[in-house]
Amino acid sequence: VSYIKFSENRHVFALVDCNNFYVSCERVFNPKLEGMPVIVLSNNDGCVVARSSEAKSLGIQMGMPFFKCEKLIKKNKGAVFSSNYALYGDMSFRIMQTLQKFSPNIEIYSIDEAFLLLDGFNFSLDEYGRKIRKTIKEHIGIPVSVGMASTKTLAKIATRIAKKDAFYDGVFDLTSYKDIDEVLENTAVEDIWGIGKNYKRKLNDCGISTALELKKSDEIFIKKHFNSTIMKILYELRGIPCLPLEEIPQLKKNIASSRSFDEPVEAFEILSKAISSYVTIASEKLRKQNSKAGIVLVYLMTNPYNKNEPQYSNYTIYRLIPYTSYTPFIISCAIMGLKKIYKNGYRYKKAGIILTDIVSSYQTRFQLTNDEINIEDHEKVMKTVDYINIRYGTDTIFFASSGIGKKRNTRCNYLSKCFTTRWNELLLVKA
DNA sequence: TCTGGGGTCCTAGGACCC
DNA sequence: TCTGGGGTCCTAGGACCC
């Protein structure tokens, strides 16, 4: 079968998943939060993106707008935090470093999840999982759940049980469980990794509502009515891996940067400063992966939730010739783009840019260019700027087109300190 | 009053080519 | 009157994830 790109040997995938990660990060430096309902908000304090179990029991949903649960959480003496990515990113880095010691083959899947390949380990997987869990808790202070199975999709299911069912206390090994089908029978299709609300509806319409029913479905039928995504899931449920461990991070194919504004923005100058700073952020990421972009896309929009206001949204793309990661050049293209789509008289809520058509810097070494552009000089300049900003802090050097006044035009009223990345924000302990 | 940000993969259909 | 067949590439939109 063409979907099966991976070897047919038995594998053991372990998924290590941090329990409500952002909340746990806040709790490490603020133990009073233990046992309290705690939520962490998205950028601009817009939506709930992490909830402690106590907050979940209050009925606060993932992605819920903050204003809809603000009263509830305050009434229950809960705590609220703005996202502190400097803190969460650093905590994640420490966890991933620690996990490297438990397997030579690891895929960092997201800020709070990693897959480990545990092939050929001839001792108790359950014990090993508990050792991982204990180590992360002791060294970093974050509680994790660990699930093991023969495919990634099954490992996801195992981890969910490890987390949900108190009996397993954070570790569940599906490879040695007596009856996998029994587990799958108790897993709803929409709880499978990769099946969202639309596939759920369509599968339900075909009479498939549990993971077991999908596993036992007729391949020909599924192939006819669904796409390759669902076929892969079907095989993965049967224990045939279709999703390999991706140890080497691939070059990002798109790099985006955008923000919603706290207050609606009308003035072109404010938008162009914002766009300029988005380009700065995205170009840094571009250079960090040693790549260059061929296209910059600029977009803006009014507030789609506000039905009483005239709506306008638009985007434009600019080809970058030659392929580049030189921030000032990309800024000037992006601002030309902005000029093209900007219309006077609208209250803009959000703007952003996307760098795309990204290639490795090695592939661009022999581009034909105008003699006036000295690519080597550009690269040296950006290298120096990046070095200084890493060494002395973000925005030590920045572009005047981003504006020199107050940087933040997004809200973050509940921000905790950068306990692990700034000397002057270290936790103070009185003794 | 207040609704995030950053990604990936897949597919259908159009344009184009020989 | 009769109007092929096979292929690639590109793009927009859908779906999903954390």
Side-chain angles (χ1 to χ4, degrees), chain A residues 18 57-58 98 134 192 211 262 283 296 340 353 399 419:
Chain A
C18 300
S57 337
L58 289 177
T98 308
K134 188 159 170 271
I192 302 171
D262 185 9
S283 308
V296 58
K340 223 157 67 178
I353 65 110
F399 290 88
F419 299 106

Side-chain angles (χ1 to χ4, degrees), chain A residues 211-420:
Chain A
L212 184 62
E213 284 165 348
L214 179 56
K215 175 182 172 179
K216 300 232 154 142
S217 295
D218 180 42
E219 281 173 43
I220 311 286
F221 176 83
I222 297 294
K223 203 166 184 175
K224 193 173 158 196
H225 295 277
F226 293 89
N227 57 19
S228 65
T229 310
I230 305 292
M231 280 301 277
K232 284 183 200 166
I233 292 172
L234 185 150
Y235 284 118
E236 288 250 328
L237 290 174
R238 293 181 182 178
I240 302 163
C242 298
L243 307 169
L245 193 78
E246 284 169 21
E247 298 178 61
I248 304 151
Q250 301 298 306
L251 276 195
K252 282 194 170 64
K253 294 169 182 166
N254 305 293
I255 297 176
S257 180
S258 67
R259 294 288 178 277
S260 294
F261 305 120
D262 185 9
E263 303 282 339
V265 171
E266 291 187 56
F268 179 85
E269 291 67 34
I270 299 179
L271 289 172
S272 79
K273 284 176 189 171
I275 290 293
S276 167
S277 65
Y278 305 150
V279 170
T280 306
I281 293 167
S283 308
E284 262 174 31
K285 291 186 188 170
L286 190 64
R287 292 190 296 273
K288 202 171 168 188
Q289 64 168 15
N290 196 15
S291 60
K292 300 190 178 190
I295 287 174
V296 58
L297 180 153
V298 187
Y299 64 92
L300 44 66
M301 59 175 75
T302 51
N303 186 351
Y305 294 102
N306 196 340
K307 303 284 182 230
N308 309 318
E309 236 171 54
Q311 296 286 316
Y312 171 66
S313 73
N314 205 350
Y315 74 91
T316 185
I317 61 169
Y318 241 87
R319 182 149 275 285
L320 301 166
I321 300 170
Y323 281 85
T324 185
S325 60
Y326 185 56
T327 303
F329 177 58
I330 306 177
I331 288 177
S332 61
C333 293
I335 291 182
M336 282 195 283
L338 180 67
K339 273 183 191 151
K340 223 157 67 178
I341 55 174
Y342 173 79
K343 277 201 208 165
N344 222 328
Y346 288 98
R347 289 155 51 83
Y348 295 102
K349 178 64 179 169
K350 181 177 178 179
I353 65 110
I354 301 172
L355 300 178
T356 184
D357 186 13
I358 291 173
V359 295
S360 155
S361 293
Y362 300 113
Q363 291 173 41
T364 63
R365 272 188 294 186
F366 304 109
Q367 293 182 97
L368 291 176
T369 59
N370 189 328
D371 282 344
E372 287 161 29
I373 303 172
N374 188 330
I375 290 178
E376 272 177 36
D377 283 353
H378 286 178
E379 288 179 352
K380 278 184 201 154
V381 169
M382 293 323 299
K383 212 169 192 158
T384 307
V385 169
D386 288 339
Y387 174 78
I388 291 170
N389 283 335
I390 288 167
R391 176 71 182 76
Y392 298 100
T394 312
D395 285 342
T396 302
I397 295 190
F398 59 89
F399 290 88
S401 55
S402 304
I404 52 171
K406 187 170 107 333
K407 279 279 149 53
R408 283 192 182 281
N409 45 17
T410 61
R411 210 175 326 157
C412 50
N413 294 331
Y414 309 94
L415 199 58
S416 55
K417 293 184 176 173
C418 295
F419 299 106
T420 61

Side-chain angles (χ1 to χ4, degrees), chain A residues 12-14 118 125-126 128-129 146-150 155 158 171-175:
Chain A
V12 177
F13 292 92
L118 302 182
L125 286 173
D126 184 79
Y128 201 64
V146 186
M148 291 91 147
S150 57
V171 178
F172 184 60
D173 172 17
L174 197 55
T175 64

Side-chain angles (χ1 to χ4, degrees), chain A residues 16-19 21 24-25 88-102 106 108 111-114 132 136-137 139-144:
Chain A
V16 180
D17 189 348
C18 300
N19 299 352
F21 182 55
S24 299
C25 289
Y88 312 149
D90 185 61
M91 295 295 276
S92 172
F93 177 75
R94 290 163 192 242
I95 289 168
M96 300 309 170
Q97 289 278 303
T98 308
L99 287 177
Q100 312 272 357
K101 295 175 189 149
F102 288 93
I106 168 168
I108 297 168
I111 193 163
D112 69 337
E113 283 174 65
I132 293 174
I136 301 290
K137 180 71 188 169
H139 291 196
I140 296 121
I142 300 287
V144 301

